[in-house]
Amino acid sequence: MGDRGKWTAGDVPDQSGRVAVVTGSNTGIGYHTAAVLAKHGARVVLAVRDLDKGQAAVKKITRAAPDAQVTVQELDLSSLESVRAAAKALGAAYPRIDLLINNAGVMYTPKQTTVDGFELQFGTNHLGPFALTGLLLPRMMRVKGSRVVTVASAAHRIMAQIHFEDLQWENGYNRIAAYGQSKLANLMFTYELQRRLAAKHKSTIAVAAHPGVANTELTRYLPAFLRPADRLLMPLVVQSAAMGALPTLRAATDTAVQGGQYYGPDGIGEQRGHPKLVDSSKQSQDVELQDRLWAVSEELTGVTFPV
């Protein structure tokens, strides 16, 4: 296992014969996740909004690994119509799906709504992946060793709670708190999904990961008052997107991973480093809140799970 017990991309086992769907994989952490999986033999689908950028990512991956099997699927997680269309296309193309990696997301966006009227961060980061997972799960539950990996964030601890009385932030808006809500929802979804899978379908597990502080496009909506601190501190704590992808890759491929686990960097404050098992907030582990969020998410998306 890597140098001095540090888990690296070199520790990813052979993925030949596996089908992996990675959302938001034309750049950043998603791209590096997809590239490593493809290099290790997986058949990888880049599920992305921009097909041109997706095709560019395919070319980049196949230049580095000529034998890689990589395709593109259009997917806009801020549109339930797009989610349903993508799930239908993926279901038709792949009778089995081994890995679904819910990586795509937005962060600190100004107040906006999705086409379905959801607050943009909650809709894109939680409701979209929730719906996609529910629609693809039948293709996964028949596959032994299949996994749903959802990328959360250390921000699930920052100003974060599930605002059940105003999930869409119609009465005031705080972009940092809204992002925290969406990332807290990612963890609650993972834990509740794992509990439901463990009760009936032990062939599939649900796992979460977070990248620490990685150099990606996510920070483009950083509030103005945080930008000076960002410019000053980021060079001290930021790591490459390739390093940021390691917790996701470990959650997706390490044979020792168990359902309901959460992986993040091993450095100070989980900001950077190699992936290890980490803890999430006490609030994220509240079973009653998880169940309540699940029910609301099914109602809002119109997607019910086969578990």
Side-chain angles (χ1 to χ4, degrees):
M1 182 191 292
D3 180 34
R4 300 185 304 279
K6 300 286 190 181
W7 199 94
T8 72
D11 292 304
V12 173
D14 181 29
Q15 299 296 297
S16 298
R18 304 188 89 195
V19 173
V21 177
V22 187
T23 69
S25 41
N26 57 296
T27 61
I29 290 164
Y31 168 80
H32 287 282
T33 300
V36 171
L37 290 171
K39 181 181 177 182
H40 284 81
R43 189 174 181 182
V44 180
V45 182
L46 309 183
V48 298
R49 280 187 307 174
D50 190 315
L51 292 178
D52 290 338
K53 289 182 179 179
Q55 293 295 350
V58 169
K59 291 179 181 177
K60 189 175 175 184
I61 290 171
T62 51
R63 274 200 303 268
D67 294 331
Q69 301 177 73
V70 194
T71 57
V72 177
Q73 170 61 52
E74 186 173 12
L75 169 68
D76 181 355
L77 288 167
S78 69
S79 162
L80 289 177
E81 182 181 4
S82 176
V83 170
R84 289 182 181 277
K88 184 177 181 180
L90 289 167
Y94 304 101
R96 57 174 282 164
I97 295 173
D98 299 75
L99 287 174
L100 170 59
I101 299 180
N102 292 315
N103 165 80
V106 293
M107 183 172 80
Y108 297 162
T109 53
K111 187 175 184 181
Q112 300 173 58
T113 56
T114 69
V115 294
D116 301 293
F118 307 131
E119 185 274 315
L120 185 62
Q121 296 184 89
F122 188 68
T124 305
N125 297 353
H126 169 62
L127 293 175
F130 179 93
L132 182 66
T133 303
L135 294 167
L136 292 182
L137 206 56
R139 288 284 187 272
M140 303 186 72
M141 293 191 306
R142 65 187 69 169
V143 182
K144 188 174 182 181
S146 57
R147 299 181 188 184
V148 176
V149 179
T150 300
V151 179
S153 168
H156 81 276
R157 300 177 185 272
I158 302 172
M159 300 174 66
Q161 66 182 84
I162 306 297
H163 295 258
F164 287 107
E165 74 290 347
D166 186 16
L167 281 173
Q168 312 310 334
W169 295 84
E170 293 168 325
N171 302 311
Y173 180 68
N174 182 307
R175 66 174 79 182
I176 296 174
Y179 180 66
Q181 171 179 264
S182 72
K183 294 288 106 179
L184 177 60
N186 288 156
L187 282 165
M188 289 183 165
F189 164 59
T190 296
Y191 298 151
E192 180 68 17
L193 176 58
Q194 173 57 31
R195 187 162 49 254
R196 290 171 181 244
L197 287 167
K200 282 191 175 182
H201 300 277
K202 294 181 172 59
S203 58
T204 307
I205 62 172
V207 193
H210 83 85
V213 182
N215 185 14
T216 73
E217 295 179 355
L218 265 184
T219 56
R220 63 186 177 274
Y221 293 116
L222 202 66
F225 75 91
L226 288 176
R227 287 173 192 158
D230 180 60
R231 285 193 290 269
L232 184 66
L233 296 175
M234 284 298 270
L236 303 178
V237 299
V238 75
Q239 61 183 354
S240 67
M243 281 295 293
L246 290 181
T248 301
L249 285 163
R250 185 167 192 178
T253 67
D254 188 339
T255 56
V257 169
Q258 298 177 22
Q261 290 184 329
Y262 180 38
Y263 286 84
D266 63 1
I268 296 172
E270 298 174 20
Q271 293 180 332
R272 58 189 298 165
H274 293 264
K276 70 168 187 176
L277 196 59
V278 296
D279 295 322
S280 64
S281 68
K282 184 177 180 181
Q283 183 180 200
S284 71
Q285 299 170 45
D286 187 315
V287 174
E288 186 177 331
L289 290 179
Q290 291 166 11
D291 187 62
R292 185 179 178 189
L293 176 64
W294 186 282
V296 169
S297 301
E298 284 194 331
E299 181 182 343
L300 291 174
T301 62
V303 174
T304 53
F305 280 58
V307 291

